[in-house]
Structures are given as C-alpha cells and as structure tokens.
Amino acid sequence: MCARLGITGHGITTPPAADLPDRWLSMLTRYHHRSPQPAPAPGSWAATAAELPELDGASLAVLGLHHSGRGTILHLHAGGVTMEDDWEYYRAVRPLPALWIRDNTGRWHATRDYAPRPLGDSGEVTLELAIAPPLEAGTPWIDVVAAGQSAEVRARLPLSWKWNP
C-alpha cells in the first residue's frame, strides 16, 4: 500500500505486493474514477437490522445506520468478544472481525471503532463504527462483510433513508 501511495521512509523491509486486494484498491481509486457524490444529510438515518452468522466465536448484529457530522455511522451489537485492558482509559473490542461495507455501486468502505460500550463483563458490547469513506446520499443497499481468521460472512441490507430534523 505504501508503494501505491508513494509513501517512503516507513521502515518496512518486505517487498511490495504485486497487486492489492480488491477492497483496498476500490478505496484507493474511489475518487480517481468517479466524482464524489453527496453524503446523506446530517440527521438522516436508515433503520435496518440483520444478524450475521457466528464467526470465530463472535456474534454480530447490525442495528442501523445514521449520518452525522462525523460521517456515516454503523450501529452494531457484538457478543462473544473479549475486552482489552491495555489502557484503563480506553477499552476496545477484541477480537472483533474486520468489517467492510460494499455499496450498491460496488465500491468498498472500511469501518473503524468509535464509541464501544461494554455491557458488563459478559462479552457483549455495542459499538458505533465509522464508515470510511461515508456512504453516498440515497444508497439503497449495502453488503456488510465480516472477515474473521477462519471465514468470511456477509449480509445484504436494504436501506431506506429518513431525515430527522
């Protein structure tokens, strides 16, 4: 990825791969092939819900999406995960599978943790995951893809955007 982006001085000694995975390439080339479309208006939300098949002992349920000044946020409930106690002021989820979003145009979006909320010591947590880049206004459906160590699971979610003034 560093070679593709022209980043030097990183200290990585492994030779660059000949090609990047489709998901990464899609994110890197997004703005080179198409002009960006407007994101959903702040305050808009899409009610949707789906439970993904269990993956590496973790259960995942999508609870909905909303768009704010922070961008598009995916609300998620996870079970069977452990909490990390490396730093007492921030508790991140581990081992949450990597979550990718593919929109109706075939473009890929990454997610990153934002605001994890553990539900006691039960291994249950609710999360808000920022989708990068944000979804475009009116996106009618997305595929949510969870990639674990042993497998990958996906679910297609229809989206009907509403605006909350």
Side-chain angles (χ1 to χ4, degrees):
M1 182 165 316
C2 291
R4 175 71 70 136
L5 294 172
I7 299 171
T8 60
H10 46 67
I12 300 172
T13 58
T14 305
D19 203 7
L20 293 173
D22 289 341
R23 294 174 188 163
W24 294 14
L25 191 57
S26 172
M27 289 186 61
L28 291 174
T29 60
R30 173 184 163 107
Y31 295 109
H32 297 291
H33 295 291
R34 298 180 184 164
S35 57
Q37 299 296 313
S44 59
W45 53 273
T48 189
E51 182 178 4
L52 279 68
E54 186 174 307
L55 180 63
D56 296 334
S59 60
L60 305 171
V62 175
L63 306 176
L65 293 98
H66 83 273
H67 193 78
S68 69
R70 298 184 316 222
T72 308
I73 306 297
L74 175 76
H75 296 267
L76 185 78
H77 176 87
V81 295
T82 58
M83 300 305 292
E84 183 178 279
D85 291 319
D86 293 347
W87 191 41
E88 65 187 36
Y89 300 107
Y90 182 75
R91 298 173 67 104
V93 173
R94 193 178 77 188
L96 186 68
L99 292 170
W100 289 86
I101 307 296
R102 188 174 71 85
D103 65 26
N104 64 298
T105 65
R107 286 179 266 183
W108 287 97
H109 306 257
T111 63
R112 70 179 194 287
D113 291 351
Y114 188 87
R117 293 181 192 91
L119 303 173
D121 294 328
S122 64
E124 303 282 321
V125 64
T126 60
L127 296 136
E128 294 178 4
L129 299 173
I131 297 175
L135 296 175
E136 295 176 358
T139 300
W141 59 263
I142 58 172
D143 287 331
V144 176
V145 180
Q149 293 180 359
S150 66
E152 181 176 285
V153 297
R154 67 179 57 217
R156 179 159 291 173
L157 304 178
L159 302 177
S160 178
W161 291 94
K162 307 293 181 197
W163 184 72
N164 188 15

